Short mmCIF file of all heavy atoms in Angstrom, two decimals:
data_model
loop_
_atom_site.label_atom_id
_atom_site.label_comp_id
_atom_site.label_asym_id
_atom_site.label_seq_id
_atom_site.Cartn_x
_atom_site.Cartn_y
_atom_site.Cartn_z
N MET A 1 -15.83 -4.88 -9.03
CA MET A 1 -14.82 -4.29 -8.17
C MET A 1 -15.37 -4.26 -6.74
O MET A 1 -16.50 -3.87 -6.52
CB MET A 1 -14.52 -2.87 -8.65
CG MET A 1 -13.49 -2.17 -7.82
SD MET A 1 -13.11 -0.47 -8.35
CE MET A 1 -12.35 -0.76 -9.93
N GLU A 2 -14.56 -4.65 -5.79
CA GLU A 2 -14.96 -4.67 -4.39
C GLU A 2 -15.13 -3.26 -3.84
O GLU A 2 -14.51 -2.32 -4.32
CB GLU A 2 -13.90 -5.38 -3.55
CG GLU A 2 -13.82 -6.87 -3.75
CD GLU A 2 -12.78 -7.48 -2.83
OE1 GLU A 2 -12.90 -7.31 -1.61
OE2 GLU A 2 -11.86 -8.11 -3.36
N PHE A 3 -15.95 -3.17 -2.80
CA PHE A 3 -16.21 -1.89 -2.14
C PHE A 3 -14.94 -1.15 -1.79
O PHE A 3 -14.80 0.05 -2.06
CB PHE A 3 -17.06 -2.11 -0.87
CG PHE A 3 -17.09 -0.92 0.04
CD1 PHE A 3 -17.86 0.18 -0.29
CD2 PHE A 3 -16.33 -0.88 1.18
CE1 PHE A 3 -17.88 1.30 0.54
CE2 PHE A 3 -16.34 0.22 2.02
CZ PHE A 3 -17.12 1.32 1.69
N LYS A 4 -13.98 -1.83 -1.18
CA LYS A 4 -12.77 -1.14 -0.71
C LYS A 4 -12.01 -0.48 -1.85
O LYS A 4 -11.48 0.63 -1.70
CB LYS A 4 -11.86 -2.08 0.09
CG LYS A 4 -11.31 -3.25 -0.69
CD LYS A 4 -10.49 -4.15 0.23
CE LYS A 4 -9.88 -5.30 -0.52
NZ LYS A 4 -9.06 -6.13 0.37
N TYR A 5 -11.97 -1.13 -3.00
CA TYR A 5 -11.28 -0.54 -4.15
C TYR A 5 -12.10 0.60 -4.76
O TYR A 5 -11.54 1.61 -5.18
CB TYR A 5 -10.99 -1.60 -5.21
CG TYR A 5 -10.15 -2.73 -4.70
CD1 TYR A 5 -10.61 -4.03 -4.72
CD2 TYR A 5 -8.87 -2.50 -4.18
CE1 TYR A 5 -9.84 -5.09 -4.24
CE2 TYR A 5 -8.09 -3.55 -3.70
CZ TYR A 5 -8.58 -4.83 -3.74
OH TYR A 5 -7.82 -5.87 -3.26
N ARG A 6 -13.39 0.41 -4.81
CA ARG A 6 -14.27 1.44 -5.37
C ARG A 6 -14.19 2.71 -4.53
O ARG A 6 -14.12 3.81 -5.06
CB ARG A 6 -15.69 0.90 -5.45
CG ARG A 6 -16.74 1.78 -6.05
CD ARG A 6 -16.66 2.04 -7.55
NE ARG A 6 -16.36 0.96 -8.43
CZ ARG A 6 -17.22 0.16 -9.04
NH1 ARG A 6 -18.50 0.25 -8.80
NH2 ARG A 6 -16.80 -0.76 -9.88
N LEU A 7 -14.21 2.56 -3.21
CA LEU A 7 -14.13 3.72 -2.32
C LEU A 7 -12.84 4.48 -2.54
O LEU A 7 -12.84 5.71 -2.69
CB LEU A 7 -14.26 3.29 -0.86
CG LEU A 7 -14.09 4.38 0.19
CD1 LEU A 7 -15.11 5.49 0.00
CD2 LEU A 7 -14.17 3.79 1.58
N LYS A 8 -11.72 3.76 -2.58
CA LYS A 8 -10.43 4.43 -2.78
C LYS A 8 -10.38 5.11 -4.14
O LYS A 8 -9.87 6.23 -4.26
CB LYS A 8 -9.28 3.43 -2.65
CG LYS A 8 -7.93 4.11 -2.70
CD LYS A 8 -6.82 3.18 -2.34
CE LYS A 8 -5.50 3.93 -2.31
NZ LYS A 8 -4.41 3.10 -1.85
N GLU A 9 -10.92 4.47 -5.15
CA GLU A 9 -10.95 5.05 -6.49
C GLU A 9 -11.73 6.36 -6.51
O GLU A 9 -11.29 7.36 -7.07
CB GLU A 9 -11.56 4.04 -7.46
CG GLU A 9 -11.70 4.53 -8.87
CD GLU A 9 -12.37 3.48 -9.75
OE1 GLU A 9 -13.61 3.34 -9.67
OE2 GLU A 9 -11.65 2.80 -10.49
N LEU A 10 -12.91 6.36 -5.90
CA LEU A 10 -13.74 7.56 -5.85
C LEU A 10 -13.05 8.67 -5.06
O LEU A 10 -13.06 9.84 -5.46
CB LEU A 10 -15.10 7.24 -5.23
CG LEU A 10 -16.04 6.40 -6.09
CD1 LEU A 10 -17.21 5.88 -5.24
CD2 LEU A 10 -16.55 7.19 -7.28
N ARG A 11 -12.46 8.32 -3.94
CA ARG A 11 -11.79 9.32 -3.09
C ARG A 11 -10.61 9.95 -3.80
O ARG A 11 -10.47 11.18 -3.83
CB ARG A 11 -11.33 8.66 -1.78
CG ARG A 11 -10.59 9.63 -0.86
CD ARG A 11 -10.14 8.97 0.42
NE ARG A 11 -9.20 7.88 0.23
CZ ARG A 11 -7.89 8.02 -0.04
NH1 ARG A 11 -7.37 9.22 -0.19
NH2 ARG A 11 -7.12 6.96 -0.17
N THR A 12 -9.76 9.13 -4.38
CA THR A 12 -8.56 9.67 -5.04
C THR A 12 -8.91 10.45 -6.31
O THR A 12 -8.23 11.41 -6.64
CB THR A 12 -7.53 8.57 -5.35
OG1 THR A 12 -8.12 7.56 -6.15
CG2 THR A 12 -7.00 7.96 -4.05
N ALA A 13 -9.98 10.05 -6.98
CA ALA A 13 -10.41 10.79 -8.18
C ALA A 13 -10.83 12.22 -7.83
O ALA A 13 -10.69 13.13 -8.65
CB ALA A 13 -11.56 10.06 -8.87
N ARG A 14 -11.29 12.41 -6.61
CA ARG A 14 -11.67 13.75 -6.15
C ARG A 14 -10.50 14.48 -5.49
O ARG A 14 -10.66 15.62 -5.04
CB ARG A 14 -12.82 13.67 -5.15
CG ARG A 14 -14.11 13.19 -5.74
CD ARG A 14 -15.14 14.26 -5.72
NE ARG A 14 -16.38 13.78 -6.31
CZ ARG A 14 -17.56 14.04 -5.83
NH1 ARG A 14 -17.70 14.78 -4.76
NH2 ARG A 14 -18.63 13.58 -6.45
N GLY A 15 -9.37 13.81 -5.39
CA GLY A 15 -8.19 14.43 -4.80
C GLY A 15 -8.30 14.64 -3.30
O GLY A 15 -7.71 15.57 -2.76
N LEU A 16 -9.03 13.75 -2.63
CA LEU A 16 -9.24 13.87 -1.20
C LEU A 16 -8.34 12.92 -0.42
O LEU A 16 -8.11 11.79 -0.85
CB LEU A 16 -10.69 13.54 -0.84
CG LEU A 16 -11.78 14.45 -1.39
CD1 LEU A 16 -13.14 13.84 -1.14
CD2 LEU A 16 -11.68 15.82 -0.75
N SER A 17 -7.88 13.37 0.73
CA SER A 17 -7.18 12.48 1.65
C SER A 17 -8.24 11.71 2.43
O SER A 17 -9.43 12.06 2.42
CB SER A 17 -6.31 13.28 2.62
OG SER A 17 -7.12 14.03 3.50
N GLN A 18 -7.81 10.69 3.13
CA GLN A 18 -8.74 9.93 3.98
C GLN A 18 -9.31 10.84 5.05
O GLN A 18 -10.51 10.77 5.37
CB GLN A 18 -8.05 8.72 4.60
CG GLN A 18 -7.70 7.66 3.58
CD GLN A 18 -6.92 6.50 4.17
OE1 GLN A 18 -6.26 6.64 5.19
NE2 GLN A 18 -6.99 5.36 3.52
N LYS A 19 -8.49 11.71 5.58
CA LYS A 19 -8.94 12.65 6.61
C LYS A 19 -10.01 13.59 6.06
O LYS A 19 -11.03 13.82 6.71
CB LYS A 19 -7.76 13.45 7.15
CG LYS A 19 -8.16 14.41 8.25
CD LYS A 19 -6.97 15.18 8.77
CE LYS A 19 -7.45 16.15 9.86
NZ LYS A 19 -6.43 17.03 10.32
N GLU A 20 -9.79 14.14 4.87
CA GLU A 20 -10.76 15.06 4.28
C GLU A 20 -12.09 14.38 4.02
O GLU A 20 -13.15 14.95 4.30
CB GLU A 20 -10.19 15.64 2.97
CG GLU A 20 -9.04 16.60 3.18
CD GLU A 20 -8.32 16.95 1.90
OE1 GLU A 20 -8.24 16.08 0.99
OE2 GLU A 20 -7.84 18.08 1.81
N LEU A 21 -12.05 13.15 3.50
CA LEU A 21 -13.29 12.43 3.25
C LEU A 21 -14.01 12.14 4.56
O LEU A 21 -15.23 12.31 4.66
CB LEU A 21 -13.04 11.12 2.48
CG LEU A 21 -14.27 10.26 2.23
CD1 LEU A 21 -15.35 11.03 1.47
CD2 LEU A 21 -13.88 8.99 1.49
N GLY A 22 -13.27 11.73 5.57
CA GLY A 22 -13.87 11.48 6.87
C GLY A 22 -14.59 12.70 7.40
O GLY A 22 -15.72 12.62 7.90
N GLU A 23 -13.96 13.86 7.27
CA GLU A 23 -14.59 15.11 7.72
C GLU A 23 -15.86 15.42 6.95
O GLU A 23 -16.84 15.89 7.52
CB GLU A 23 -13.60 16.27 7.60
CG GLU A 23 -12.46 16.19 8.60
CD GLU A 23 -11.35 17.19 8.34
OE1 GLU A 23 -11.37 17.90 7.31
OE2 GLU A 23 -10.42 17.27 9.18
N LYS A 24 -15.85 15.12 5.66
CA LYS A 24 -17.02 15.41 4.81
C LYS A 24 -18.23 14.56 5.18
O LYS A 24 -19.35 15.02 5.06
CB LYS A 24 -16.68 15.20 3.34
CG LYS A 24 -15.54 16.03 2.83
CD LYS A 24 -16.03 17.24 2.14
CE LYS A 24 -14.85 17.98 1.52
NZ LYS A 24 -15.10 19.40 1.44
N ILE A 25 -17.98 13.31 5.61
CA ILE A 25 -19.11 12.43 5.90
C ILE A 25 -19.31 12.18 7.40
O ILE A 25 -20.17 11.40 7.79
CB ILE A 25 -19.03 11.09 5.14
CG1 ILE A 25 -17.85 10.25 5.62
CG2 ILE A 25 -19.00 11.33 3.63
CD1 ILE A 25 -17.95 8.79 5.22
N GLY A 26 -18.51 12.83 8.24
CA GLY A 26 -18.71 12.74 9.68
C GLY A 26 -18.10 11.53 10.36
O GLY A 26 -18.68 10.99 11.31
N THR A 27 -16.94 11.13 9.89
CA THR A 27 -16.23 10.02 10.55
C THR A 27 -14.75 10.35 10.60
O THR A 27 -14.33 11.45 10.23
CB THR A 27 -16.51 8.67 9.84
OG1 THR A 27 -16.04 7.60 10.66
CG2 THR A 27 -15.88 8.59 8.46
N THR A 28 -13.95 9.41 11.04
CA THR A 28 -12.51 9.64 11.19
C THR A 28 -11.73 9.09 9.99
O THR A 28 -12.24 8.25 9.24
CB THR A 28 -11.99 8.94 12.46
OG1 THR A 28 -12.19 7.52 12.30
CG2 THR A 28 -12.72 9.43 13.69
N TYR A 29 -10.51 9.57 9.85
CA TYR A 29 -9.66 9.05 8.78
C TYR A 29 -9.36 7.58 9.00
O TYR A 29 -9.20 6.83 8.04
CB TYR A 29 -8.36 9.87 8.65
CG TYR A 29 -7.33 9.53 9.69
CD1 TYR A 29 -6.38 8.55 9.46
CD2 TYR A 29 -7.31 10.19 10.92
CE1 TYR A 29 -5.43 8.23 10.41
CE2 TYR A 29 -6.37 9.87 11.88
CZ TYR A 29 -5.44 8.89 11.62
OH TYR A 29 -4.52 8.57 12.57
N SER A 30 -9.28 7.17 10.26
CA SER A 30 -8.98 5.76 10.52
C SER A 30 -10.12 4.86 10.06
O SER A 30 -9.87 3.75 9.58
CB SER A 30 -8.63 5.52 11.98
OG SER A 30 -9.70 5.88 12.83
N ALA A 31 -11.35 5.33 10.17
CA ALA A 31 -12.49 4.54 9.66
C ALA A 31 -12.38 4.38 8.15
O ALA A 31 -12.56 3.28 7.62
CB ALA A 31 -13.81 5.20 10.03
N ILE A 32 -12.05 5.46 7.46
CA ILE A 32 -11.87 5.40 6.00
C ILE A 32 -10.75 4.42 5.67
O ILE A 32 -10.88 3.60 4.76
CB ILE A 32 -11.57 6.79 5.41
CG1 ILE A 32 -12.66 7.81 5.77
CG2 ILE A 32 -11.36 6.70 3.90
CD1 ILE A 32 -14.02 7.55 5.21
N SER A 33 -9.66 4.49 6.39
CA SER A 33 -8.53 3.59 6.18
C SER A 33 -8.94 2.13 6.38
O SER A 33 -8.60 1.26 5.57
CB SER A 33 -7.38 3.95 7.12
OG SER A 33 -6.31 3.04 6.98
N PHE A 34 -9.67 1.86 7.45
CA PHE A 34 -10.13 0.50 7.71
C PHE A 34 -11.01 0.00 6.57
O PHE A 34 -10.88 -1.15 6.14
CB PHE A 34 -10.92 0.42 9.02
CG PHE A 34 -10.08 0.52 10.26
CD1 PHE A 34 -10.65 0.90 11.46
CD2 PHE A 34 -8.71 0.24 10.26
CE1 PHE A 34 -9.91 1.00 12.62
CE2 PHE A 34 -7.95 0.34 11.42
CZ PHE A 34 -8.56 0.72 12.60
N TRP A 35 -11.91 0.85 6.08
CA TRP A 35 -12.79 0.45 4.97
C TRP A 35 -11.99 0.17 3.72
O TRP A 35 -12.23 -0.82 3.02
CB TRP A 35 -13.83 1.52 4.69
CG TRP A 35 -14.72 1.86 5.85
CD1 TRP A 35 -14.96 1.10 6.96
CD2 TRP A 35 -15.48 3.05 6.02
NE1 TRP A 35 -15.82 1.75 7.81
CE2 TRP A 35 -16.16 2.95 7.27
CE3 TRP A 35 -15.67 4.20 5.26
CZ2 TRP A 35 -17.02 3.94 7.74
CZ3 TRP A 35 -16.50 5.19 5.74
CH2 TRP A 35 -17.18 5.06 6.96
N GLU A 36 -11.03 1.04 3.40
CA GLU A 36 -10.23 0.88 2.18
C GLU A 36 -9.29 -0.32 2.26
O GLU A 36 -8.89 -0.85 1.23
CB GLU A 36 -9.44 2.15 1.88
CG GLU A 36 -10.32 3.29 1.40
CD GLU A 36 -9.53 4.53 1.01
OE1 GLU A 36 -8.29 4.54 1.13
OE2 GLU A 36 -10.18 5.50 0.57
N ASN A 37 -8.93 -0.72 3.45
CA ASN A 37 -8.04 -1.87 3.62
C ASN A 37 -8.78 -3.15 3.92
O ASN A 37 -8.16 -4.20 4.14
CB ASN A 37 -7.00 -1.57 4.71
CG ASN A 37 -5.98 -0.56 4.25
OD1 ASN A 37 -5.29 -0.77 3.26
ND2 ASN A 37 -5.89 0.55 4.95
N GLY A 38 -10.10 -3.09 3.93
CA GLY A 38 -10.91 -4.28 4.14
C GLY A 38 -10.89 -4.81 5.56
O GLY A 38 -11.26 -5.95 5.79
N VAL A 39 -10.49 -3.98 6.52
CA VAL A 39 -10.46 -4.40 7.92
C VAL A 39 -11.89 -4.57 8.43
O VAL A 39 -12.20 -5.50 9.16
CB VAL A 39 -9.67 -3.40 8.79
CG1 VAL A 39 -9.77 -3.74 10.26
CG2 VAL A 39 -8.22 -3.35 8.32
N ASN A 40 -12.74 -3.61 8.08
CA ASN A 40 -14.16 -3.70 8.40
C ASN A 40 -14.95 -2.94 7.36
O ASN A 40 -14.38 -2.37 6.43
CB ASN A 40 -14.46 -3.25 9.83
CG ASN A 40 -14.06 -1.82 10.10
OD1 ASN A 40 -14.04 -0.99 9.21
ND2 ASN A 40 -13.74 -1.51 11.34
N GLU A 41 -16.26 -2.94 7.50
CA GLU A 41 -17.14 -2.28 6.53
C GLU A 41 -17.98 -1.24 7.25
O GLU A 41 -18.28 -1.37 8.44
CB GLU A 41 -18.03 -3.33 5.86
CG GLU A 41 -17.23 -4.32 5.04
CD GLU A 41 -18.09 -5.43 4.46
OE1 GLU A 41 -19.21 -5.66 4.95
OE2 GLU A 41 -17.61 -6.08 3.52
N PRO A 42 -18.39 -0.21 6.51
CA PRO A 42 -19.17 0.86 7.14
C PRO A 42 -20.60 0.45 7.47
O PRO A 42 -21.16 -0.44 6.83
CB PRO A 42 -19.15 1.96 6.08
CG PRO A 42 -18.99 1.25 4.79
CD PRO A 42 -18.13 0.06 5.11
N LYS A 43 -21.16 1.15 8.46
CA LYS A 43 -22.58 0.99 8.77
C LYS A 43 -23.39 1.58 7.61
O LYS A 43 -22.87 2.38 6.81
CB LYS A 43 -22.94 1.74 10.05
CG LYS A 43 -22.27 1.22 11.29
CD LYS A 43 -22.76 1.86 12.58
CE LYS A 43 -23.02 3.34 12.50
NZ LYS A 43 -23.38 3.95 13.77
N LEU A 44 -24.63 1.20 7.55
CA LEU A 44 -25.52 1.67 6.48
C LEU A 44 -25.55 3.19 6.40
O LEU A 44 -25.55 3.76 5.30
CB LEU A 44 -26.92 1.11 6.68
CG LEU A 44 -27.96 1.51 5.64
CD1 LEU A 44 -27.54 1.08 4.25
CD2 LEU A 44 -29.31 0.93 6.00
N SER A 45 -25.56 3.86 7.52
CA SER A 45 -25.63 5.33 7.50
C SER A 45 -24.42 5.93 6.78
O SER A 45 -24.55 6.96 6.09
CB SER A 45 -25.73 5.89 8.92
OG SER A 45 -24.62 5.50 9.70
N TYR A 46 -23.26 5.32 6.90
CA TYR A 46 -22.07 5.82 6.18
C TYR A 46 -22.10 5.45 4.71
O TYR A 46 -21.60 6.20 3.87
CB TYR A 46 -20.78 5.34 6.85
CG TYR A 46 -20.54 5.99 8.19
CD1 TYR A 46 -20.48 5.23 9.34
CD2 TYR A 46 -20.40 7.36 8.29
CE1 TYR A 46 -20.28 5.82 10.57
CE2 TYR A 46 -20.19 7.97 9.52
CZ TYR A 46 -20.14 7.19 10.65
OH TYR A 46 -19.94 7.79 11.87
N ILE A 47 -22.67 4.31 4.38
CA ILE A 47 -22.82 3.96 2.97
C ILE A 47 -23.72 4.99 2.29
O ILE A 47 -23.42 5.47 1.19
CB ILE A 47 -23.38 2.53 2.81
CG1 ILE A 47 -22.33 1.51 3.27
CG2 ILE A 47 -23.78 2.26 1.35
CD1 ILE A 47 -22.81 0.09 3.31
N ILE A 48 -24.80 5.35 2.96
CA ILE A 48 -25.70 6.37 2.41
C ILE A 48 -24.97 7.70 2.26
O ILE A 48 -25.07 8.36 1.22
CB ILE A 48 -26.95 6.51 3.30
CG1 ILE A 48 -27.79 5.24 3.23
CG2 ILE A 48 -27.76 7.74 2.91
CD1 ILE A 48 -28.89 5.14 4.28
N ALA A 49 -24.21 8.09 3.27
CA ALA A 49 -23.47 9.35 3.21
C ALA A 49 -22.45 9.33 2.07
O ALA A 49 -22.30 10.33 1.36
CB ALA A 49 -22.77 9.61 4.54
N LEU A 50 -21.77 8.20 1.88
CA LEU A 50 -20.80 8.09 0.79
C LEU A 50 -21.48 8.19 -0.57
O LEU A 50 -20.99 8.87 -1.48
CB LEU A 50 -20.03 6.78 0.90
CG LEU A 50 -19.01 6.69 2.04
CD1 LEU A 50 -18.58 5.24 2.27
CD2 LEU A 50 -17.80 7.57 1.75
N CYS A 51 -22.62 7.52 -0.71
CA CYS A 51 -23.35 7.57 -1.98
C CYS A 51 -23.80 8.99 -2.30
O CYS A 51 -23.68 9.44 -3.45
CB CYS A 51 -24.57 6.65 -1.94
SG CYS A 51 -24.16 4.90 -1.95
N LYS A 52 -24.31 9.69 -1.30
CA LYS A 52 -24.73 11.08 -1.51
C LYS A 52 -23.54 11.97 -1.85
O LYS A 52 -23.61 12.78 -2.76
CB LYS A 52 -25.46 11.61 -0.28
CG LYS A 52 -26.83 11.03 -0.11
CD LYS A 52 -27.51 11.59 1.13
CE LYS A 52 -28.91 11.03 1.28
NZ LYS A 52 -29.59 11.54 2.49
N PHE A 53 -22.46 11.80 -1.11
CA PHE A 53 -21.28 12.63 -1.34
C PHE A 53 -20.71 12.43 -2.74
O PHE A 53 -20.40 13.39 -3.44
CB PHE A 53 -20.21 12.35 -0.28
CG PHE A 53 -18.97 13.17 -0.49
CD1 PHE A 53 -18.94 14.50 -0.14
CD2 PHE A 53 -17.84 12.62 -1.07
CE1 PHE A 53 -17.81 15.28 -0.35
CE2 PHE A 53 -16.70 13.37 -1.29
CZ PHE A 53 -16.68 14.71 -0.93
N PHE A 54 -20.55 11.18 -3.14
CA PHE A 54 -19.96 10.88 -4.44
C PHE A 54 -20.99 10.86 -5.58
O PHE A 54 -20.61 10.70 -6.74
CB PHE A 54 -19.22 9.54 -4.40
CG PHE A 54 -17.95 9.57 -3.60
CD1 PHE A 54 -17.79 8.78 -2.48
CD2 PHE A 54 -16.89 10.40 -3.97
CE1 PHE A 54 -16.62 8.80 -1.74
CE2 PHE A 54 -15.71 10.43 -3.24
CZ PHE A 54 -15.57 9.63 -2.12
N GLU A 55 -22.27 11.00 -5.23
CA GLU A 55 -23.35 11.00 -6.22
C GLU A 55 -23.35 9.73 -7.05
O GLU A 55 -23.36 9.76 -8.28
CB GLU A 55 -23.29 12.25 -7.10
CG GLU A 55 -23.43 13.53 -6.30
CD GLU A 55 -23.31 14.78 -7.15
OE1 GLU A 55 -22.62 14.75 -8.21
OE2 GLU A 55 -23.90 15.79 -6.76
N VAL A 56 -23.29 8.59 -6.35
CA VAL A 56 -23.34 7.28 -6.99
C VAL A 56 -24.39 6.43 -6.29
O VAL A 56 -24.81 6.72 -5.17
CB VAL A 56 -21.96 6.55 -6.94
CG1 VAL A 56 -20.90 7.33 -7.69
CG2 VAL A 56 -21.52 6.30 -5.51
N SER A 57 -24.82 5.36 -6.95
CA SER A 57 -25.78 4.45 -6.35
C SER A 57 -25.07 3.52 -5.36
O SER A 57 -23.85 3.32 -5.44
CB SER A 57 -26.47 3.61 -7.42
OG SER A 57 -25.57 2.67 -7.96
N SER A 58 -25.84 2.96 -4.46
CA SER A 58 -25.25 2.00 -3.51
C SER A 58 -24.76 0.76 -4.26
O SER A 58 -23.74 0.18 -3.88
CB SER A 58 -26.26 1.62 -2.42
OG SER A 58 -27.43 1.10 -3.00
N ASP A 59 -25.47 0.35 -5.31
CA ASP A 59 -25.01 -0.79 -6.10
C ASP A 59 -23.63 -0.53 -6.70
O ASP A 59 -22.77 -1.40 -6.71
CB ASP A 59 -26.00 -1.14 -7.21
CG ASP A 59 -27.21 -1.89 -6.72
OD1 ASP A 59 -27.23 -2.30 -5.54
OD2 ASP A 59 -28.16 -2.06 -7.51
N TYR A 60 -23.42 0.69 -7.19
CA TYR A 60 -22.12 1.04 -7.76
C TYR A 60 -21.05 1.05 -6.66
O TYR A 60 -19.99 0.43 -6.80
CB TYR A 60 -22.18 2.40 -8.43
CG TYR A 60 -20.86 2.82 -9.03
CD1 TYR A 60 -20.46 2.34 -10.26
CD2 TYR A 60 -19.99 3.65 -8.34
CE1 TYR A 60 -19.22 2.68 -10.80
CE2 TYR A 60 -18.76 4.01 -8.86
CZ TYR A 60 -18.38 3.53 -10.10
OH TYR A 60 -17.16 3.86 -10.62
N LEU A 61 -21.34 1.72 -5.55
CA LEU A 61 -20.37 1.82 -4.47
C LEU A 61 -19.99 0.45 -3.92
O LEU A 61 -18.82 0.20 -3.63
CB LEU A 61 -20.94 2.68 -3.34
CG LEU A 61 -20.01 2.91 -2.14
CD1 LEU A 61 -18.75 3.68 -2.54
CD2 LEU A 61 -20.75 3.64 -1.04
N LEU A 62 -20.96 -0.43 -3.81
CA LEU A 62 -20.71 -1.76 -3.25
C LEU A 62 -20.13 -2.74 -4.26
O LEU A 62 -19.84 -3.88 -3.93
CB LEU A 62 -21.99 -2.32 -2.65
CG LEU A 62 -22.57 -1.51 -1.48
CD1 LEU A 62 -23.91 -2.06 -1.08
CD2 LEU A 62 -21.60 -1.48 -0.32
N GLY A 63 -19.97 -2.30 -5.50
CA GLY A 63 -19.36 -3.14 -6.51
C GLY A 63 -20.31 -4.13 -7.15
O GLY A 63 -19.88 -5.11 -7.78
N LEU A 64 -21.62 -3.88 -7.02
CA LEU A 64 -22.60 -4.78 -7.62
C LEU A 64 -22.89 -4.45 -9.08
O LEU A 64 -23.46 -5.25 -9.80
CB LEU A 64 -23.90 -4.74 -6.81
CG LEU A 64 -23.75 -5.14 -5.34
CD1 LEU A 64 -25.07 -4.93 -4.60
CD2 LEU A 64 -23.30 -6.59 -5.23
N GLU A 65 -22.53 -3.24 -9.49
CA GLU A 65 -22.66 -2.84 -10.90
C GLU A 65 -21.54 -1.89 -11.25
O GLU A 65 -20.92 -1.29 -10.39
CB GLU A 65 -24.03 -2.18 -11.16
CG GLU A 65 -24.22 -0.84 -10.48
CD GLU A 65 -25.56 -0.22 -10.78
OE1 GLU A 65 -26.54 -0.93 -11.01
OE2 GLU A 65 -25.61 1.02 -10.79
N ASP A 66 -21.31 -1.76 -12.55
CA ASP A 66 -20.24 -0.86 -13.03
C ASP A 66 -20.78 0.46 -13.50
O ASP A 66 -21.85 0.69 -13.80
CB ASP A 66 -19.45 -1.52 -14.16
CG ASP A 66 -18.58 -2.65 -13.63
OD1 ASP A 66 -18.16 -2.58 -12.47
OD2 ASP A 66 -18.35 -3.61 -14.39
#
């Protein structure tokens, strides 16, 4: 599964809006939207923040493992 789909899956499973997730990891809702729509990808610091927040490995978040 691609990163953009995995991110949306994790976010919606927690019942979070894009705005709420952005606030939790220190970015904007538009950044989350861009990532989920494949417009661009997050910097490493945000990947780390997402992994910590969702308590998943970077391999899982990036779609390299299930």
Side-chain angles (χ1 to χ4, degrees):
M1 180 181 293
E2 289 182 58
F3 166 76
K4 63 183 182 178
Y5 301 120
R6 183 70 42 92
L7 175 59
K8 186 171 185 175
E9 178 182 78
L10 289 167
R11 179 180 62 78
T12 57
R14 293 246 180 139
L16 296 170
S17 68
Q18 291 176 337
K19 181 179 179 187
E20 290 168 327
L21 177 57
E23 290 170 354
K24 302 262 186 209
I25 67 163
T27 192
T28 63
Y29 78 91
S30 60
I32 303 296
S33 177
F34 287 158
W35 301 340
E36 288 184 358
N37 288 302
V39 174
N40 59 28
E41 296 175 341
K43 296 187 321 185
L44 180 59
S45 60
Y46 290 118
I47 292 173
I48 293 168
L50 288 165
C51 289
K52 287 180 178 179
F53 179 77
F54 289 118
E55 299 178 332
V56 298
S57 71
S58 57
D59 283 351
Y60 180 81
L61 182 63
L62 298 173
L64 301 174
E65 68 179 30
D66 289 330

